[in-house]
Amino acid sequence: MLKISALRKEYKDKTALVGLDLDVPAGDIFCLLGPNGAGKTTTVNLLLNFIQPTSGSATINGFDVTRDPLETKKHLAYIPELVMLYKHLNGLENLEYFSSLAGHRYDRSQLGDFLKRAGLPLEAHARPVGGYSKGMRQKVGIAMAIAKKAGLLILDEPTSGLDPKASWEFSELLKQLAGEGSAIFMVTHDLFRVKEMGARVGILKAGELVAQMNTEEINHSDLEQVYLKYMH
């Protein structure tokens, strides 16, 4: 679903990404860890075609991100650290609006089902999202991905600032979506949540992927030690 090949990004005064190679097949969860300035945001921006690569390529469901940006966006959903919604509209109205932008038309019953699947309480569906918590906004973001039938979810620090219960619920949703065939690519600092999700992990340092591992084959302490080893 996501294939990154020798992806490189240079700016005038620095190289942000040295030459990234990784695959995220359907049903897989891949978490990219790294300190601030490691190149994680650059990677996300390249995948979303917000910036152009210096060299290398990324494809989503076989379509090149640079050459076929509109086609690739049909297959992905992006969930940033804070999901931007229209605060005066309620959850159903936001979902209806953003789904229509992606070319999907649903009735209110279907929209309600998507929000319910994403874990948003029924009483919140008709409330203005200006009063939503961050976790509730994230659930609307997940509902958008479900409504869009996105094969790839790109997430940027999605559990940052969530309380433990909301973070656990969010992780369970992602595991469920992966179990249904979605590919998940997540940038995060949350070592504990990464381990709980049973994900594959890559550690990015100074624009280079310096380690990859499967969290099912390593315990919390060892994962932390590997991460800290590359932070110096």
Side-chain angles (χ1 to χ4, degrees):
M1 182 54 70
L2 172 63
K3 184 174 181 62
I4 300 174
S5 303
L7 198 60
R8 184 179 183 89
K9 180 61 180 177
E10 296 175 3
Y11 295 100
K12 285 182 181 178
D13 56 344
K14 65 174 285 191
T15 299
L17 210 58
V18 174
L20 184 62
D21 291 290
L22 64 88
D23 294 330
V24 187
D28 197 17
I29 300 175
F30 187 93
C31 295
L32 191 63
L33 299 168
N36 292 334
K40 302 188 303 298
T41 299
T42 295
T43 302
V44 169
N45 286 339
L46 286 165
L47 295 180
L48 297 173
N49 197 44
F50 290 165
I51 56 176
Q52 299 295 302
T54 303
S55 59
S57 65
T59 61
I60 295 171
N61 201 27
F63 295 97
D64 187 278
V65 169
T66 304
R67 290 198 300 267
D68 303 299
L70 293 178
E71 192 62 38
T72 56
K73 284 181 172 61
K74 292 177 185 176
H75 300 276
L76 72 84
Y78 171 53
I79 301 179
E81 185 173 349
L82 182 64
V83 176
M84 301 305 292
L85 301 169
Y86 288 99
K87 64 181 182 180
H88 299 301
L89 300 180
N90 62 37
L92 277 169
E93 290 165 340
N94 269 279
L95 181 57
E96 182 176 38
Y97 175 69
F98 286 108
S99 297
S100 69
L101 287 184
H104 298 282
R105 302 284 177 181
Y106 298 108
D107 62 33
R108 284 299 174 100
S109 174
Q110 290 171 304
L111 293 167
D113 285 343
F114 295 142
L115 290 172
K116 192 160 65 175
R117 271 197 65 199
L120 189 72
L122 185 61
E123 52 84 18
H125 291 194
R127 273 204 285 123
V129 302
Y132 280 19
S133 66
K134 181 183 175 185
M136 292 166 75
R137 285 172 169 266
Q138 298 284 30
K139 287 172 181 175
V140 176
I142 289 287
M144 289 178 189
I146 295 169
K148 193 177 180 183
K149 303 180 176 69
L152 171 68
L153 273 69
I154 297 176
L155 304 109
D156 191 359
E157 299 287 356
T159 59
S160 171
L162 294 184
D163 64 53
K165 181 175 181 290
S167 184
W168 178 83
E169 288 174 348
F170 190 76
S171 298
E172 290 300 303
L173 273 171
L174 292 183
K175 286 195 284 187
Q176 182 184 337
L177 290 173
E180 294 169 5
S182 292
I184 312 286
F185 178 80
M186 183 166 82
V187 167
T188 184
H189 284 102
D190 193 340
L191 286 173
F192 177 79
R193 197 53 56 197
V194 166
K195 177 71 179 100
E196 290 298 298
M197 290 169 69
R200 284 195 303 129
V201 177
I203 297 175
L204 200 64
K205 181 179 181 181
E208 185 177 357
L209 195 63
V210 292
Q212 282 195 70
M213 67 205 81
N214 190 326
T215 57
E216 291 177 350
E217 299 165 359
I218 190 170
N219 63 36
H220 279 290
S221 177
D222 289 341
L223 176 60
E224 188 175 43
Q225 289 305 311
V226 171
Y227 181 70
L228 290 174
K229 170 188 170 185
Y230 288 107
M231 293 307 99
H232 298 296

